[in-house]
Amino acid sequence: MVRVAIAEDDAACARQLQEYLDRYAGEKGEQFQVSVFPDGLELVESYRPDYDVLLLDIEMPHLDGMEAARRIRQTDPAVIIIFITNMAKYAIK
């Protein structure tokens, strides 16, 4: 089972990501355990290195995905982090 955390402040986007994971799981026979956090701060405050993959929105109101990733890396250098954004200016960063 792959443990995934999604930090996304837009509930519709978070649902869409969950739907993508569900579809992938159905097609590939994989299982996901998904936890959703409405902000990077909530993820960081409750973070334990139990996740395999983090899907982080870059722009969030209390703690953006980039800073959340920096903080999480201090305690979990192995977790896979994927940034999610619709803003081209963040693609290179």
Side-chain angles (χ1 to χ4, degrees):
M1 178 173 304
V2 179
R3 294 160 303 187
V4 179
I6 298 172
E8 170 62 69
D9 61 320
D10 183 321
C13 289
R15 267 192 313 279
Q16 186 175 30
L17 289 168
Q18 285 184 285
E19 289 169 6
Y20 290 154
L21 290 171
D22 290 343
R23 186 176 346 148
Y24 181 86
E27 292 173 359
K28 304 296 182 183
E30 188 65 66
Q31 290 184 319
F32 293 98
Q33 178 182 336
V34 180
S35 301
V36 178
F37 299 87
D39 188 83
L41 185 61
E42 287 190 36
L43 172 61
V44 168
E45 286 179 341
S46 66
Y47 190 81
R48 290 179 296 165
D50 295 333
Y51 297 103
D52 301 302
V53 179
L54 305 179
L55 301 175
L56 304 179
D57 185 15
I58 291 183
E59 286 196 337
M60 292 182 281
H62 298 104
L63 184 68
D64 66 56
M66 298 296 241
E67 182 58 29
R70 280 196 247 338
R71 293 182 188 185
I72 288 168
R73 278 280 178 243
Q74 293 173 1
T75 59
D76 190 355
V79 68
I80 296 168
I81 298 175
I82 300 171
F83 294 104
I84 298 165
T85 187
N86 63 357
M87 314 246 337
K89 68 181 184 179
Y90 293 116
I92 293 176
K93 190 173 182 181

